[in-house]
Amino acid sequence: MTNRVLLNNVDHHDLRVITRYSAAYGDAVNQALIFPTEFEDAQRDYPILFRKDPQGAFVAVILLGLDADENLYLGDHGWAARYVPAIQQRGPFSIGVPRPDADESAEPMIHIDLDDPRVSRTEGELVFRTHGGNSPYLDRIAAVLRAIHVGHEVMAPMFAAFQRLDLVQPVAIQLPINEGLRYDLPDFFTIDPDRLAALDGAALAQLHQDGFLRAAFATAFSLANINRLVELKRARQEEEAA
């Protein structure tokens, strides 16, 4: 259950948010949704892969672990990567679309789940300044939510552009951890690097004009991070065996 309400500086003037990452706050996940607005940041740390949602539409995810509820980037000292996906950065906040009867120029508004365990009145980052106005923390959250909102809007057009050029292909992921353990990850797709490299000038120009060329290359380059995931899994097993 959630208690999602529109954020305002009257009712919530003294709210704080705990910003550390922990399994207790829902960060122990082996995949996270990622948006096109994040691809260039995410590809430095994680493998970006595509899968289909229950309606058959493509979505982009990053791999964080190999077992259920396993985030290999999450440790005793928080999130050990240069970039944390926006869906996790946002914490208890979400963005709400304007009501159907709202003015066409109305902007999406920030909401907060008051029942989220990170919401506090005694601990964490202030949401609003003591004497009014957004805190620097809330300004950062607003930027994160904008990235999610814009990224959600461009997800379908991006995949349409990729599929039009036949770039999205299934990928077989087999990860040997040790002699007795191997992970086979089915039902994933990626950008085929050979097909991407073979695009002619007109196709590359169109993909660039559509704004998706950098996302295509970021996805293709990110697959090298699968090796990092294997290293993290082996290190985690060694820690647990010690």
Side-chain angles (χ1 to χ4, degrees):
M1 296 295 291
T2 62
N3 182 14
R4 183 172 172 270
V5 300
L6 182 65
L7 184 69
N8 68 84
N9 61 5
V10 176
D11 299 320
H12 310 133
H13 65 95
D14 59 345
L15 281 190
R16 294 175 177 265
V17 173
I18 299 166
T19 57
R20 62 180 175 270
Y21 297 102
S22 164
Y25 301 136
D27 296 313
V29 291
N30 65 6
Q31 296 177 30
L33 192 66
I34 201 82
F35 298 94
T37 43
E38 306 175 82
F39 278 20
E40 290 187 61
D41 290 320
Q43 62 91 20
R44 299 185 180 97
D45 291 299
Y46 316 102
I48 300 172
L49 294 165
F50 307 148
R51 60 177 173 80
K52 291 185 177 181
D53 67 15
Q55 289 72 45
F58 279 111
V59 295
V61 298
I62 53 172
L63 284 186
L64 302 174
L66 300 176
D67 288 311
D69 303 323
E70 176 183 69
N71 183 346
L72 294 169
Y73 297 87
L74 186 67
D76 295 337
H77 301 290
W79 201 295
R82 288 164 291 185
Y83 180 74
V84 177
I87 206 75
Q88 304 300 128
Q89 286 189 57
R90 69 176 181 171
F93 299 95
S94 59
I95 197 162
V97 298
R99 299 188 313 273
D101 60 344
D103 185 89
E104 290 184 2
S105 62
E107 293 288 330
M109 305 296 288
I110 297 177
H111 291 69
I112 186 169
D113 177 8
L114 295 177
D115 288 343
D116 190 288
R118 289 164 289 198
V119 176
S120 172
R121 294 187 186 273
T122 60
E123 180 184 1
E125 297 275 358
L126 279 168
V127 176
F128 294 104
R129 296 179 184 272
T130 303
H131 301 294
N134 293 356
S135 69
Y137 167 66
L138 184 56
D139 286 338
R140 292 197 303 273
I141 289 297
V144 168
L145 293 176
R146 280 194 298 272
I148 292 174
H149 180 68
V150 173
H152 183 269
E153 292 293 315
V154 302
M155 186 85 83
M158 179 190 73
F159 279 115
F162 289 167
Q163 289 179 280
R164 186 167 56 248
L165 297 172
D166 202 26
L167 294 176
V168 179
Q169 298 293 320
V171 58
I173 302 175
Q174 298 177 336
L175 306 180
I177 306 302
N178 53 47
E179 289 186 1
L181 180 62
R182 187 184 80 173
Y183 288 88
D184 296 314
L185 308 182
D187 303 324
F188 283 110
F189 300 79
T190 188
I191 293 291
D192 186 304
D194 293 332
R195 291 174 183 266
L196 181 60
L199 292 180
D200 62 23
L204 288 170
Q206 185 61 56
L207 203 55
H208 174 68
Q209 183 177 333
D210 292 341
F212 304 130
L213 182 60
R214 293 163 72 102
F217 277 105
T219 302
F221 292 154
S222 78
L223 292 184
N225 291 317
I226 288 179
N227 295 328
R228 174 61 174 156
L229 203 64
V230 171
E231 293 172 1
L232 290 171
K233 182 63 176 179
R234 289 171 178 164
R236 180 69 59 88
Q237 285 194 318
E238 290 174 2
E239 290 175 5
E240 293 172 351

mmCIF file with all atom_site columns, all heavy atoms in Angstrom, residues 50-71:
data_model
loop_
_atom_site.group_PDB
_atom_site.id
_atom_site.type_symbol
_atom_site.label_atom_id
_atom_site.label_alt_id
_atom_site.label_comp_id
_atom_site.label_asym_id
_atom_site.label_entity_id
_atom_site.label_seq_id
_atom_site.pdbx_PDB_ins_code
_atom_site.Cartn_x
_atom_site.Cartn_y
_atom_site.Cartn_z
_atom_site.occupancy
_atom_site.B_iso_or_equiv
_atom_site.pdbx_formal_charge
_atom_site.auth_seq_id
_atom_site.auth_comp_id
_atom_site.auth_asym_id
_atom_site.auth_atom_id
_atom_site.pdbx_PDB_model_num
ATOM 1   N N   . PHE A 1 50 ? 17.447 -5.225  -23.394 1.00 0.00 ? 50 PHE A N   1
ATOM 2   C CA  . PHE A 1 50 ? 16.043 -4.996  -23.681 1.00 0.00 ? 50 PHE A CA  1
ATOM 3   C C   . PHE A 1 50 ? 15.257 -6.280  -23.377 1.00 0.00 ? 50 PHE A C   1
ATOM 4   O O   . PHE A 1 50 ? 15.756 -7.383  -23.541 1.00 0.00 ? 50 PHE A O   1
ATOM 5   C CB  . PHE A 1 50 ? 15.835 -4.632  -25.153 1.00 0.00 ? 50 PHE A CB  1
ATOM 6   C CG  . PHE A 1 50 ? 16.685 -3.497  -25.636 1.00 0.00 ? 50 PHE A CG  1
ATOM 7   C CD1 . PHE A 1 50 ? 17.135 -3.463  -26.961 1.00 0.00 ? 50 PHE A CD1 1
ATOM 8   C CD2 . PHE A 1 50 ? 17.035 -2.450  -24.795 1.00 0.00 ? 50 PHE A CD2 1
ATOM 9   C CE1 . PHE A 1 50 ? 17.914 -2.415  -27.430 1.00 0.00 ? 50 PHE A CE1 1
ATOM 10  C CE2 . PHE A 1 50 ? 17.812 -1.392  -25.246 1.00 0.00 ? 50 PHE A CE2 1
ATOM 11  C CZ  . PHE A 1 50 ? 18.255 -1.384  -26.573 1.00 0.00 ? 50 PHE A CZ  1
ATOM 12  N N   . ARG A 1 51 ? 14.048 -6.112  -22.919 1.00 0.00 ? 51 ARG A N   1
ATOM 13  C CA  . ARG A 1 51 ? 13.127 -7.233  -22.761 1.00 0.00 ? 51 ARG A CA  1
ATOM 14  C C   . ARG A 1 51 ? 11.729 -6.728  -23.083 1.00 0.00 ? 51 ARG A C   1
ATOM 15  O O   . ARG A 1 51 ? 11.508 -5.523  -23.223 1.00 0.00 ? 51 ARG A O   1
ATOM 16  C CB  . ARG A 1 51 ? 13.189 -7.828  -21.358 1.00 0.00 ? 51 ARG A CB  1
ATOM 17  C CG  . ARG A 1 51 ? 12.854 -6.880  -20.225 1.00 0.00 ? 51 ARG A CG  1
ATOM 18  C CD  . ARG A 1 51 ? 12.874 -7.592  -18.893 1.00 0.00 ? 51 ARG A CD  1
ATOM 19  N NE  . ARG A 1 51 ? 12.716 -6.679  -17.764 1.00 0.00 ? 51 ARG A NE  1
ATOM 20  C CZ  . ARG A 1 51 ? 11.562 -6.171  -17.350 1.00 0.00 ? 51 ARG A CZ  1
ATOM 21  N NH1 . ARG A 1 51 ? 10.437 -6.479  -17.986 1.00 0.00 ? 51 ARG A NH1 1
ATOM 22  N NH2 . ARG A 1 51 ? 11.507 -5.344  -16.322 1.00 0.00 ? 51 ARG A NH2 1
ATOM 23  N N   . LYS A 1 52 ? 10.795 -7.657  -23.182 1.00 0.00 ? 52 LYS A N   1
ATOM 24  C CA  . LYS A 1 52 ? 9.429  -7.275  -23.495 1.00 0.00 ? 52 LYS A CA  1
ATOM 25  C C   . LYS A 1 52 ? 8.572  -7.268  -22.235 1.00 0.00 ? 52 LYS A C   1
ATOM 26  O O   . LYS A 1 52 ? 8.701  -8.155  -21.389 1.00 0.00 ? 52 LYS A O   1
ATOM 27  C CB  . LYS A 1 52 ? 8.837  -8.237  -24.537 1.00 0.00 ? 52 LYS A CB  1
ATOM 28  C CG  . LYS A 1 52 ? 9.480  -8.102  -25.909 1.00 0.00 ? 52 LYS A CG  1
ATOM 29  C CD  . LYS A 1 52 ? 8.797  -8.977  -26.947 1.00 0.00 ? 52 LYS A CD  1
ATOM 30  C CE  . LYS A 1 52 ? 9.410  -8.771  -28.329 1.00 0.00 ? 52 LYS A CE  1
ATOM 31  N NZ  . LYS A 1 52 ? 8.740  -9.602  -29.364 1.00 0.00 ? 52 LYS A NZ  1
ATOM 32  N N   . ASP A 1 53 ? 7.725  -6.253  -22.124 1.00 0.00 ? 53 ASP A N   1
ATOM 33  C CA  . ASP A 1 53 ? 6.811  -6.192  -20.983 1.00 0.00 ? 53 ASP A CA  1
ATOM 34  C C   . ASP A 1 53 ? 5.619  -7.107  -21.245 1.00 0.00 ? 53 ASP A C   1
ATOM 35  O O   . ASP A 1 53 ? 5.518  -7.721  -22.320 1.00 0.00 ? 53 ASP A O   1
ATOM 36  C CB  . ASP A 1 53 ? 6.397  -4.742  -20.712 1.00 0.00 ? 53 ASP A CB  1
ATOM 37  C CG  . ASP A 1 53 ? 5.538  -4.141  -21.820 1.00 0.00 ? 53 ASP A CG  1
ATOM 38  O OD1 . ASP A 1 53 ? 5.013  -4.891  -22.670 1.00 0.00 ? 53 ASP A OD1 1
ATOM 39  O OD2 . ASP A 1 53 ? 5.379  -2.906  -21.825 1.00 0.00 ? 53 ASP A OD2 1
ATOM 40  N N   . PRO A 1 54 ? 4.709  -7.253  -20.279 1.00 0.00 ? 54 PRO A N   1
ATOM 41  C CA  . PRO A 1 54 ? 3.577  -8.172  -20.472 1.00 0.00 ? 54 PRO A CA  1
ATOM 42  C C   . PRO A 1 54 ? 2.715  -7.851  -21.688 1.00 0.00 ? 54 PRO A C   1
ATOM 43  O O   . PRO A 1 54 ? 2.021  -8.735  -22.207 1.00 0.00 ? 54 PRO A O   1
ATOM 44  C CB  . PRO A 1 54 ? 2.780  -8.016  -19.172 1.00 0.00 ? 54 PRO A CB  1
ATOM 45  C CG  . PRO A 1 54 ? 3.803  -7.632  -18.155 1.00 0.00 ? 54 PRO A CG  1
ATOM 46  C CD  . PRO A 1 54 ? 4.763  -6.750  -18.885 1.00 0.00 ? 54 PRO A CD  1
ATOM 47  N N   . GLN A 1 55 ? 2.749  -6.617  -22.169 1.00 0.00 ? 55 GLN A N   1
ATOM 48  C CA  . GLN A 1 55 ? 1.975  -6.236  -23.353 1.00 0.00 ? 55 GLN A CA  1
ATOM 49  C C   . GLN A 1 55 ? 2.762  -6.450  -24.655 1.00 0.00 ? 55 GLN A C   1
ATOM 50  O O   . GLN A 1 55 ? 2.262  -6.178  -25.745 1.00 0.00 ? 55 GLN A O   1
ATOM 51  C CB  . GLN A 1 55 ? 1.540  -4.771  -23.262 1.00 0.00 ? 55 GLN A CB  1
ATOM 52  C CG  . GLN A 1 55 ? 0.463  -4.509  -22.210 1.00 0.00 ? 55 GLN A CG  1
ATOM 53  C CD  . GLN A 1 55 ? 0.988  -4.604  -20.796 1.00 0.00 ? 55 GLN A CD  1
ATOM 54  O OE1 . GLN A 1 55 ? 2.061  -4.074  -20.482 1.00 0.00 ? 55 GLN A OE1 1
ATOM 55  N NE2 . GLN A 1 55 ? 0.252  -5.290  -19.924 1.00 0.00 ? 55 GLN A NE2 1
ATOM 56  N N   . GLY A 1 56 ? 4.003  -6.923  -24.532 1.00 0.00 ? 56 GLY A N   1
ATOM 57  C CA  . GLY A 1 56 ? 4.804  -7.196  -25.714 1.00 0.00 ? 56 GLY A CA  1
ATOM 58  C C   . GLY A 1 56 ? 5.625  -6.025  -26.210 1.00 0.00 ? 56 GLY A C   1
ATOM 59  O O   . GLY A 1 56 ? 6.279  -6.130  -27.245 1.00 0.00 ? 56 GLY A O   1
ATOM 60  N N   . ALA A 1 57 ? 5.630  -4.929  -25.475 1.00 0.00 ? 57 ALA A N   1
ATOM 61  C CA  . ALA A 1 57 ? 6.425  -3.762  -25.865 1.00 0.00 ? 57 ALA A CA  1
ATOM 62  C C   . ALA A 1 57 ? 7.828  -3.864  -25.260 1.00 0.00 ? 57 ALA A C   1
ATOM 63  O O   . ALA A 1 57 ? 8.005  -4.370  -24.149 1.00 0.00 ? 57 ALA A O   1
ATOM 64  C CB  . ALA A 1 57 ? 5.749  -2.482  -25.393 1.00 0.00 ? 57 ALA A CB  1
ATOM 65  N N   . PHE A 1 58 ? 8.816  -3.371  -26.000 1.00 0.00 ? 58 PHE A N   1
ATOM 66  C CA  . PHE A 1 58 ? 10.175 -3.396  -25.490 1.00 0.00 ? 58 PHE A CA  1
ATOM 67  C C   . PHE A 1 58 ? 10.379 -2.344  -24.401 1.00 0.00 ? 58 PHE A C   1
ATOM 68  O O   . PHE A 1 58 ? 9.867  -1.224  -24.488 1.00 0.00 ? 58 PHE A O   1
ATOM 69  C CB  . PHE A 1 58 ? 11.174 -3.126  -26.619 1.00 0.00 ? 58 PHE A CB  1
ATOM 70  C CG  . PHE A 1 58 ? 11.494 -4.325  -27.462 1.00 0.00 ? 58 PHE A CG  1
ATOM 71  C CD1 . PHE A 1 58 ? 11.074 -4.394  -28.783 1.00 0.00 ? 58 PHE A CD1 1
ATOM 72  C CD2 . PHE A 1 58 ? 12.220 -5.383  -26.939 1.00 0.00 ? 58 PHE A CD2 1
ATOM 73  C CE1 . PHE A 1 58 ? 11.377 -5.498  -29.566 1.00 0.00 ? 58 PHE A CE1 1
ATOM 74  C CE2 . PHE A 1 58 ? 12.530 -6.491  -27.706 1.00 0.00 ? 58 PHE A CE2 1
ATOM 75  C CZ  . PHE A 1 58 ? 12.104 -6.549  -29.021 1.00 0.00 ? 58 PHE A CZ  1
ATOM 76  N N   . VAL A 1 59 ? 11.140 -2.726  -23.380 1.00 0.00 ? 59 VAL A N   1
ATOM 77  C CA  . VAL A 1 59 ? 11.616 -1.787  -22.364 1.00 0.00 ? 59 VAL A CA  1
ATOM 78  C C   . VAL A 1 59 ? 13.106 -2.053  -22.182 1.00 0.00 ? 59 VAL A C   1
ATOM 79  O O   . VAL A 1 59 ? 13.610 -3.123  -22.540 1.00 0.00 ? 59 VAL A O   1
ATOM 80  C CB  . VAL A 1 59 ? 10.883 -1.938  -21.016 1.00 0.00 ? 59 VAL A CB  1
ATOM 81  C CG1 . VAL A 1 59 ? 9.426  -1.570  -21.152 1.00 0.00 ? 59 VAL A CG1 1
ATOM 82  C CG2 . VAL A 1 59 ? 11.038 -3.351  -20.459 1.00 0.00 ? 59 VAL A CG2 1
ATOM 83  N N   . ALA A 1 60 ? 13.811 -1.091  -21.624 1.00 0.00 ? 60 ALA A N   1
ATOM 84  C CA  . ALA A 1 60 ? 15.244 -1.232  -21.372 1.00 0.00 ? 60 ALA A CA  1
ATOM 85  C C   . ALA A 1 60 ? 15.475 -1.443  -19.885 1.00 0.00 ? 60 ALA A C   1
ATOM 86  O O   . ALA A 1 60 ? 14.831 -0.799  -19.038 1.00 0.00 ? 60 ALA A O   1
ATOM 87  C CB  . ALA A 1 60 ? 15.995 0.005   -21.854 1.00 0.00 ? 60 ALA A CB  1
ATOM 88  N N   . VAL A 1 61 ? 16.402 -2.346  -19.568 1.00 0.00 ? 61 VAL A N   1
ATOM 89  C CA  . VAL A 1 61 ? 16.746 -2.611  -18.172 1.00 0.00 ? 61 VAL A CA  1
ATOM 90  C C   . VAL A 1 61 ? 18.265 -2.693  -18.056 1.00 0.00 ? 61 VAL A C   1
ATOM 91  O O   . VAL A 1 61 ? 18.972 -2.914  -19.041 1.00 0.00 ? 61 VAL A O   1
ATOM 92  C CB  . VAL A 1 61 ? 16.126 -3.925  -17.648 1.00 0.00 ? 61 VAL A CB  1
ATOM 93  C CG1 . VAL A 1 61 ? 14.607 -3.860  -17.687 1.00 0.00 ? 61 VAL A CG1 1
ATOM 94  C CG2 . VAL A 1 61 ? 16.634 -5.139  -18.425 1.00 0.00 ? 61 VAL A CG2 1
ATOM 95  N N   . ILE A 1 62 ? 18.750 -2.515  -16.840 1.00 0.00 ? 62 ILE A N   1
ATOM 96  C CA  . ILE A 1 62 ? 20.147 -2.813  -16.544 1.00 0.00 ? 62 ILE A CA  1
ATOM 97  C C   . ILE A 1 62 ? 20.177 -4.029  -15.637 1.00 0.00 ? 62 ILE A C   1
ATOM 98  O O   . ILE A 1 62 ? 19.301 -4.200  -14.779 1.00 0.00 ? 62 ILE A O   1
ATOM 99  C CB  . ILE A 1 62 ? 20.881 -1.625  -15.895 1.00 0.00 ? 62 ILE A CB  1
ATOM 100 C CG1 . ILE A 1 62 ? 20.124 -1.107  -14.664 1.00 0.00 ? 62 ILE A CG1 1
ATOM 101 C CG2 . ILE A 1 62 ? 21.119 -0.520  -16.889 1.00 0.00 ? 62 ILE A CG2 1
ATOM 102 C CD1 . ILE A 1 62 ? 20.885 -0.057  -13.877 1.00 0.00 ? 62 ILE A CD1 1
ATOM 103 N N   . LEU A 1 63 ? 21.180 -4.872  -15.815 1.00 0.00 ? 63 LEU A N   1
ATOM 104 C CA  . LEU A 1 63 ? 21.365 -6.030  -14.949 1.00 0.00 ? 63 LEU A CA  1
ATOM 105 C C   . LEU A 1 63 ? 22.167 -5.614  -13.723 1.00 0.00 ? 63 LEU A C   1
ATOM 106 O O   . LEU A 1 63 ? 23.253 -5.040  -13.847 1.00 0.00 ? 63 LEU A O   1
ATOM 107 C CB  . LEU A 1 63 ? 22.103 -7.141  -15.685 1.00 0.00 ? 63 LEU A CB  1
ATOM 108 C CG  . LEU A 1 63 ? 21.332 -7.964  -16.711 1.00 0.00 ? 63 LEU A CG  1
ATOM 109 C CD1 . LEU A 1 63 ? 22.213 -9.112  -17.213 1.00 0.00 ? 63 LEU A CD1 1
ATOM 110 C CD2 . LEU A 1 63 ? 20.043 -8.518  -16.127 1.00 0.00 ? 63 LEU A CD2 1
ATOM 111 N N   . LEU A 1 64 ? 21.635 -5.931  -12.551 1.00 0.00 ? 64 LEU A N   1
ATOM 112 C CA  . LEU A 1 64 ? 22.305 -5.609  -11.300 1.00 0.00 ? 64 LEU A CA  1
ATOM 113 C C   . LEU A 1 64 ? 22.745 -6.857  -10.543 1.00 0.00 ? 64 LEU A C   1
ATOM 114 O O   . LEU A 1 64 ? 23.631 -6.795  -9.697  1.00 0.00 ? 64 LEU A O   1
ATOM 115 C CB  . LEU A 1 64 ? 21.373 -4.783  -10.397 1.00 0.00 ? 64 LEU A CB  1
ATOM 116 C CG  . LEU A 1 64 ? 20.864 -3.468  -10.987 1.00 0.00 ? 64 LEU A CG  1
ATOM 117 C CD1 . LEU A 1 64 ? 19.843 -2.838  -10.056 1.00 0.00 ? 64 LEU A CD1 1
ATOM 118 C CD2 . LEU A 1 64 ? 22.024 -2.517  -11.239 1.00 0.00 ? 64 LEU A CD2 1
ATOM 119 N N   . GLY A 1 65 ? 22.105 -7.977  -10.821 1.00 0.00 ? 65 GLY A N   1
ATOM 120 C CA  . GLY A 1 65 ? 22.432 -9.225  -10.139 1.00 0.00 ? 65 GLY A CA  1
ATOM 121 C C   . GLY A 1 65 ? 21.978 -10.408 -10.961 1.00 0.00 ? 65 GLY A C   1
ATOM 122 O O   . GLY A 1 65 ? 21.363 -10.247 -12.021 1.00 0.00 ? 65 GLY A O   1
ATOM 123 N N   . LEU A 1 66 ? 22.260 -11.607 -10.454 1.00 0.00 ? 66 LEU A N   1
ATOM 124 C CA  . LEU A 1 66 ? 21.957 -12.820 -11.190 1.00 0.00 ? 66 LEU A CA  1
ATOM 125 C C   . LEU A 1 66 ? 20.927 -13.692 -10.491 1.00 0.00 ? 66 LEU A C   1
ATOM 126 O O   . LEU A 1 66 ? 20.259 -14.500 -11.129 1.00 0.00 ? 66 LEU A O   1
ATOM 127 C CB  . LEU A 1 66 ? 23.249 -13.621 -11.423 1.00 0.00 ? 66 LEU A CB  1
ATOM 128 C CG  . LEU A 1 66 ? 24.323 -12.876 -12.227 1.00 0.00 ? 66 LEU A CG  1
ATOM 129 C CD1 . LEU A 1 66 ? 25.594 -13.699 -12.310 1.00 0.00 ? 66 LEU A CD1 1
ATOM 130 C CD2 . LEU A 1 66 ? 23.804 -12.533 -13.614 1.00 0.00 ? 66 LEU A CD2 1
ATOM 131 N N   . ASP A 1 67 ? 20.795 -13.550 -9.198  1.00 0.00 ? 67 ASP A N   1
ATOM 132 C CA  . ASP A 1 67 ? 19.775 -14.268 -8.446  1.00 0.00 ? 67 ASP A CA  1
ATOM 133 C C   . ASP A 1 67 ? 18.654 -13.307 -8.062  1.00 0.00 ? 67 ASP A C   1
ATOM 134 O O   . ASP A 1 67 ? 18.809 -12.082 -8.125  1.00 0.00 ? 67 ASP A O   1
ATOM 135 C CB  . ASP A 1 67 ? 20.373 -14.901 -7.185  1.00 0.00 ? 67 ASP A CB  1
ATOM 136 C CG  . ASP A 1 67 ? 21.262 -16.098 -7.505  1.00 0.00 ? 67 ASP A CG  1
ATOM 137 O OD1 . ASP A 1 67 ? 20.815 -16.973 -8.275  1.00 0.00 ? 67 ASP A OD1 1
ATOM 138 O OD2 . ASP A 1 67 ? 22.400 -16.153 -6.982  1.00 0.00 ? 67 ASP A OD2 1
ATOM 139 N N   . ALA A 1 68 ? 17.524 -13.879 -7.659  1.00 0.00 ? 68 ALA A N   1
ATOM 140 C CA  . ALA A 1 68 ? 16.386 -13.050 -7.242  1.00 0.00 ? 68 ALA A CA  1
ATOM 141 C C   . ALA A 1 68 ? 16.790 -12.166 -6.062  1.00 0.00 ? 68 ALA A C   1
ATOM 142 O O   . ALA A 1 68 ? 17.512 -12.607 -5.150  1.00 0.00 ? 68 ALA A O   1
ATOM 143 C CB  . ALA A 1 68 ? 15.208 -13.942 -6.861  1.00 0.00 ? 68 ALA A CB  1
ATOM 144 N N   . ASP A 1 69 ? 16.335 -10.925 -6.091  1.00 0.00 ? 69 ASP A N   1
ATOM 145 C CA  . ASP A 1 69 ? 16.589 -9.963  -5.007  1.00 0.00 ? 69 ASP A CA  1
ATOM 146 C C   . ASP A 1 69 ? 18.080 -9.759  -4.739  1.00 0.00 ? 69 ASP A C   1
ATOM 147 O O   . ASP A 1 69 ? 18.490 -9.499  -3.607  1.00 0.00 ? 69 ASP A O   1
ATOM 148 C CB  . ASP A 1 69 ? 15.887 -10.416 -3.716  1.00 0.00 ? 69 ASP A CB  1
ATOM 149 C CG  . ASP A 1 69 ? 14.399 -10.592 -3.893  1.00 0.00 ? 69 ASP A CG  1
ATOM 150 O OD1 . ASP A 1 69 ? 13.795 -9.802  -4.633  1.00 0.00 ? 69 ASP A OD1 1
ATOM 151 O OD2 . ASP A 1 69 ? 13.830 -11.540 -3.312  1.00 0.00 ? 69 ASP A OD2 1
ATOM 152 N N   . GLU A 1 70 ? 18.895 -9.853  -5.777  1.00 0.00 ? 70 GLU A N   1
ATOM 153 C CA  . GLU A 1 70 ? 20.338 -9.683  -5.633  1.00 0.00 ? 70 GLU A CA  1
ATOM 154 C C   . GLU A 1 70 ? 20.802 -8.472  -6.429  1.00 0.00 ? 70 GLU A C   1
ATOM 155 O O   . GLU A 1 70 ? 20.626 -8.411  -7.639  1.00 0.00 ? 70 GLU A O   1
ATOM 156 C CB  . GLU A 1 70 ? 21.068 -10.923 -6.142  1.00 0.00 ? 70 GLU A CB  1
ATOM 157 C CG  . GLU A 1 70 ? 22.596 -10.786 -6.116  1.00 0.00 ? 70 GLU A CG  1
ATOM 158 C CD  . GLU A 1 70 ? 23.288 -11.993 -6.695  1.00 0.00 ? 70 GLU A CD  1
ATOM 159 O OE1 . GLU A 1 70 ? 23.191 -12.198 -7.933  1.00 0.00 ? 70 GLU A OE1 1
ATOM 160 O OE2 . GLU A 1 70 ? 23.915 -12.745 -5.925  1.00 0.00 ? 70 GLU A OE2 1
ATOM 161 N N   . ASN A 1 71 ? 21.367 -7.517  -5.718  1.00 0.00 ? 71 ASN A N   1
ATOM 162 C CA  . ASN A 1 71 ? 21.993 -6.357  -6.353  1.00 0.00 ? 71 ASN A CA  1
ATOM 163 C C   . ASN A 1 71 ? 23.471 -6.398  -6.009  1.00 0.00 ? 71 ASN A C   1
ATOM 164 O O   . ASN A 1 71 ? 23.867 -6.093  -4.875  1.00 0.00 ? 71 ASN A O   1
ATOM 165 C CB  . ASN A 1 71 ? 21.346 -5.067  -5.852  1.00 0.00 ? 71 ASN A CB  1
ATOM 166 C CG  . ASN A 1 71 ? 21.905 -3.829  -6.536  1.00 0.00 ? 71 ASN A CG  1
ATOM 167 O OD1 . ASN A 1 71 ? 22.934 -3.875  -7.199  1.00 0.00 ? 71 ASN A OD1 1
ATOM 168 N ND2 . ASN A 1 71 ? 21.224 -2.704  -6.374  1.00 0.00 ? 71 ASN A ND2 1
#
